Amino acid sequence: GNSVTQMEGPVTLSEEAFLTINCTYTATGYPSLFWYVQYPGEGLQLLLKATKADDKGSNKGFEATYRKETTSFHLEKGSVQVSDSAVYFCALSPPGNTPLVFGKGTRLSVIA
Amino acid sequence: DTGVSQNPRHKITKRGQNVTFRCDPISEHNRLYWYRQTLGQGPEFLTYFQNEAQLEKSRLLSDRFSAERPKGSFSTLEIQRTEQGDSAMYLCASSVDYHTQYFGPGTRLTVL
């Protein structure tokens, strides 16, 4: 079946530190991959996406590259800010089927 | 474009009561999805519509749950005879065909 595995949190970093949140997936065929972010008290917001192998999604300084050979889509940011504190969800959309399959989420706390 | 809206934002009910939630998708989005998110977990797919047709239902959607999208615009999710295990955040998302899903702020249900 289709599934997403994310590194468990919480992750606590100092401001300006480098961020990596690991995400691996299992899917039949070639899914589309997404990172969504959920700020406290708010709904899910799309952060970035990639629809085919070797695509790099990027937004607000965050990046993730679709790696078919390692079935991974790790989220990175070079210098985090306090305002990046949120829960980050990795998700996939199987080919020909639109309901998203989410990981459990990783809570990030950035301290000044 | 005002985004996906959901009402109410919070609902507290007693076990055994019926509740109904409403979702208004982004205008002209033909697909509408319902997900459920429990504490510490990622969203789980419940059901989705293309226009007014309900195309898929998850096994999570027991007989007590029913969803409608009568005119292909807004949707309602009803839970009959609520149980404490129904306490969760109910999320709605919309999209144009297979493209990116945009989420609403969610309805938080608490069953006492």
Side-chain angles (χ1 to χ4, degrees), chain B residues 47-76:
Chain B
T47 188
Y48 88 94
F49 295 83
Q50 177 162 307
N51 300 312
E52 64 275 11
Q54 189 172 17
L55 295 190
E56 187 174 342
K57 292 193 291 187
S58 162
R59 58 180 172 76
L60 293 176
L61 211 67
S62 77
D63 291 345
R64 297 184 296 105
F65 287 69
S66 62
E68 294 183 340
R69 195 183 183 197
K71 297 182 179 180
S73 56
F74 73 91
S75 175
T76 57

Coordinates of all heavy atoms in Angstrom, one line a residue, chain B residues 47-76:
Chain B
T47 N -13.4 10.9 2.6 CA -14.2 10.7 1.4 C -13.9 11.9 0.4 O -13.4 12.9 0.9 CB -15.7 10.7 1.7 OG1 -16.4 10.4 0.5 CG2 -16.2 12.0 2.2
Y48 N -14.3 11.8 -0.9 CA -14.1 12.9 -1.7 C -15.2 12.9 -2.8 O -15.8 11.9 -3.2 CB -12.7 13.1 -2.3 CG -12.4 12.4 -3.6 CD1 -12.5 13.0 -4.8 CD2 -11.9 11.1 -3.6 CE1 -12.2 12.4 -6.0 CE2 -11.5 10.4 -4.7 CZ -11.7 11.1 -6.0 OH -11.3 10.4 -7.1
F49 N -15.4 14.1 -3.4 CA -16.4 14.4 -4.4 C -15.8 15.0 -5.6 O -14.9 15.8 -5.5 CB -17.5 15.4 -3.9 CG -18.3 14.9 -2.7 CD1 -17.9 14.9 -1.4 CD2 -19.6 14.3 -3.0 CE1 -18.6 14.5 -0.4 CE2 -20.4 13.9 -1.9 CZ -19.9 13.9 -0.6
Q50 N -16.3 14.6 -6.8 CA -16.0 15.3 -8.0 C -17.4 15.9 -8.4 O -18.3 15.1 -8.7 CB -15.4 14.5 -9.1 CG -15.2 15.3 -10.4 CD -14.3 14.6 -11.3 OE1 -13.2 14.3 -10.9 NE2 -14.7 14.4 -12.5
N51 N -17.5 17.2 -8.4 CA -18.8 17.9 -8.5 C -19.7 17.3 -7.5 O -19.4 17.3 -6.3 CB -19.3 17.8 -9.9 CG -18.3 18.4 -10.9 OD1 -17.8 19.5 -10.7 ND2 -18.0 17.6 -12.0
E52 N -20.9 16.8 -7.8 CA -21.8 16.4 -6.8 C -21.7 14.9 -6.6 O -22.3 14.3 -5.7 CB -23.3 16.7 -7.2 CG -23.7 16.0 -8.5 CD -23.4 16.7 -9.7 OE1 -22.6 17.7 -9.7 OE2 -23.9 16.4 -10.8
A53 N -20.8 14.2 -7.3 CA -20.7 12.7 -7.2 C -19.6 12.4 -6.1 O -18.5 12.8 -6.2 CB -20.3 12.1 -8.5
Q54 N -20.0 11.5 -5.2 CA -19.1 11.0 -4.2 C -18.4 9.8 -4.8 O -18.9 8.7 -5.0 CB -19.9 10.6 -2.9 CG -19.0 10.2 -1.8 CD -19.8 10.0 -0.5 OE1 -21.0 9.8 -0.5 NE2 -19.1 10.1 0.7
L55 N -17.1 10.0 -5.1 CA -16.3 9.0 -5.8 C -15.6 7.9 -5.0 O -15.3 6.8 -5.5 CB -15.3 9.7 -6.7 CG -15.8 10.6 -7.8 CD1 -14.7 11.0 -8.7 CD2 -16.9 9.9 -8.6
E56 N -15.3 8.3 -3.8 CA -14.5 7.3 -2.9 C -14.8 7.6 -1.5 O -15.0 8.7 -1.0 CB -13.0 7.4 -3.2 CG -12.2 6.4 -2.5 CD -10.7 6.4 -2.9 OE1 -10.4 7.0 -4.0 OE2 -9.9 5.8 -2.2
K57 N -14.9 6.5 -0.7 CA -15.1 6.5 0.7 C -14.1 5.6 1.4 O -13.9 4.5 1.0 CB -16.5 6.1 1.1 CG -17.6 7.1 0.6 CD -18.9 6.8 1.3 CE -19.6 5.5 0.8 NZ -20.9 5.3 1.4
S58 N -13.5 6.1 2.4 CA -12.5 5.3 3.2 C -13.3 4.4 4.1 O -14.4 4.6 4.5 CB -11.7 6.3 4.0 OG -11.0 5.6 5.1
R59 N -12.6 3.3 4.5 CA -13.2 2.3 5.4 C -13.3 3.0 6.8 O -14.0 2.5 7.7 CB -12.3 1.1 5.6 CG -10.9 1.4 6.0 CD -10.0 0.1 6.1 NE -8.6 0.5 6.3 CZ -8.1 0.9 7.5 NH1 -8.9 1.0 8.5 NH2 -6.8 1.1 7.6
L60 N -12.7 4.2 7.0 CA -12.8 4.9 8.2 C -14.2 5.5 8.3 O -14.7 5.8 9.4 CB -11.8 6.1 8.3 CG -10.3 5.7 8.4 CD1 -9.5 7.0 8.4 CD2 -10.1 4.9 9.7
L61 N -14.9 5.7 7.2 CA -16.2 6.3 7.2 C -17.3 5.2 7.5 O -17.8 4.5 6.7 CB -16.4 6.9 5.8 CG -17.3 8.1 5.8 CD1 -16.6 9.3 6.4 CD2 -17.7 8.5 4.3
S62 N -17.6 5.2 8.8 CA -18.6 4.2 9.3 C -20.0 4.6 8.8 O -20.2 5.7 8.3 CB -18.5 4.0 10.8 OG -19.2 5.1 11.4
D63 N -20.9 3.7 9.1 CA -22.3 4.0 8.7 C -22.9 5.2 9.4 O -23.9 5.7 8.9 CB -23.2 2.7 9.0 CG -22.9 1.6 8.2 OD1 -22.2 1.8 7.1 OD2 -23.2 0.4 8.5
R64 N -22.3 5.6 10.5 CA -22.8 6.8 11.2 C -22.4 8.1 10.5 O -22.9 9.2 10.8 CB -22.3 6.8 12.6 CG -22.7 5.6 13.5 CD -22.2 5.8 14.9 NE -20.8 5.7 15.0 CZ -20.0 6.8 15.2 NH1 -20.6 8.0 15.4 NH2 -18.7 6.7 15.3
F65 N -21.5 8.0 9.5 CA -21.0 9.2 8.8 C -21.7 9.3 7.5 O -21.8 8.3 6.8 CB -19.5 9.1 8.6 CG -18.7 9.3 9.9 CD1 -18.7 8.4 10.9 CD2 -17.9 10.5 10.0 CE1 -17.9 8.6 12.0 CE2 -17.1 10.6 11.1 CZ -17.1 9.7 12.1
S66 N -22.1 10.5 7.1 CA -22.6 10.7 5.7 C -22.2 12.0 5.2 O -22.1 13.0 6.0 CB -24.1 10.5 5.7 OG -24.7 11.5 6.5
A67 N -21.8 12.1 4.0 CA -21.4 13.4 3.4 C -22.2 13.6 2.1 O -22.5 12.6 1.4 CB -19.9 13.3 3.1
E68 N -22.4 14.9 1.8 CA -23.2 15.2 0.7 C -22.6 16.5 0.0 O -21.9 17.3 0.7 CB -24.7 15.6 1.0 CG -25.5 14.4 1.5 CD -26.9 14.8 1.7 OE1 -27.2 16.0 1.9 OE2 -27.8 13.9 1.8
R69 N -22.8 16.6 -1.3 CA -22.4 17.8 -2.0 C -23.5 18.0 -3.1 O -23.2 17.8 -4.2 CB -21.0 17.7 -2.6 CG -20.4 19.0 -3.1 CD -19.1 18.8 -3.7 NE -18.5 20.1 -4.1 CZ -17.6 20.3 -5.0 NH1 -17.0 19.2 -5.6 NH2 -17.1 21.5 -5.2
P70 N -24.7 18.5 -2.6 CA -25.9 18.4 -3.5 C -25.8 19.2 -4.8 O -26.3 18.7 -5.8 CB -27.0 18.9 -2.6 CG -26.3 19.7 -1.5 CD -24.9 19.0 -1.3
K71 N -25.2 20.3 -4.8 CA -25.1 21.1 -6.0 C -23.7 21.2 -6.6 O -23.5 22.1 -7.4 CB -25.8 22.4 -5.8 CG -27.3 22.3 -5.4 CD -27.9 23.7 -5.3 CE -29.4 23.6 -4.9 NZ -30.0 24.9 -4.8
G72 N -22.8 20.4 -6.1 CA -21.5 20.5 -6.5 C -20.7 21.7 -6.0 O -19.7 22.1 -6.6
S73 N -21.3 22.4 -5.0 CA -20.6 23.5 -4.4 C -20.2 23.2 -3.0 O -19.2 22.5 -2.8 CB -21.4 24.8 -4.5 OG -22.7 24.6 -3.8
F74 N -20.9 23.7 -2.0 CA -20.6 23.3 -0.6 C -20.9 21.9 -0.3 O -21.6 21.2 -1.0 CB -21.3 24.3 0.3 CG -22.8 24.0 0.5 CD1 -23.2 23.1 1.5 CD2 -23.7 24.5 -0.4 CE1 -24.6 22.8 1.6 CE2 -25.0 24.2 -0.3 CZ -25.5 23.4 0.7
S75 N -20.3 21.4 0.8 CA -20.5 20.0 1.2 C -20.8 20.0 2.7 O -20.4 20.9 3.5 CB -19.2 19.2 1.0 OG -19.4 17.9 1.5
T76 N -21.5 19.0 3.1 CA -21.8 18.8 4.6 C -21.3 17.4 4.9 O -21.4 16.4 4.2 CB -23.3 18.9 4.9 OG1 -24.1 18.0 4.1 CG2 -23.8 20.4 4.6

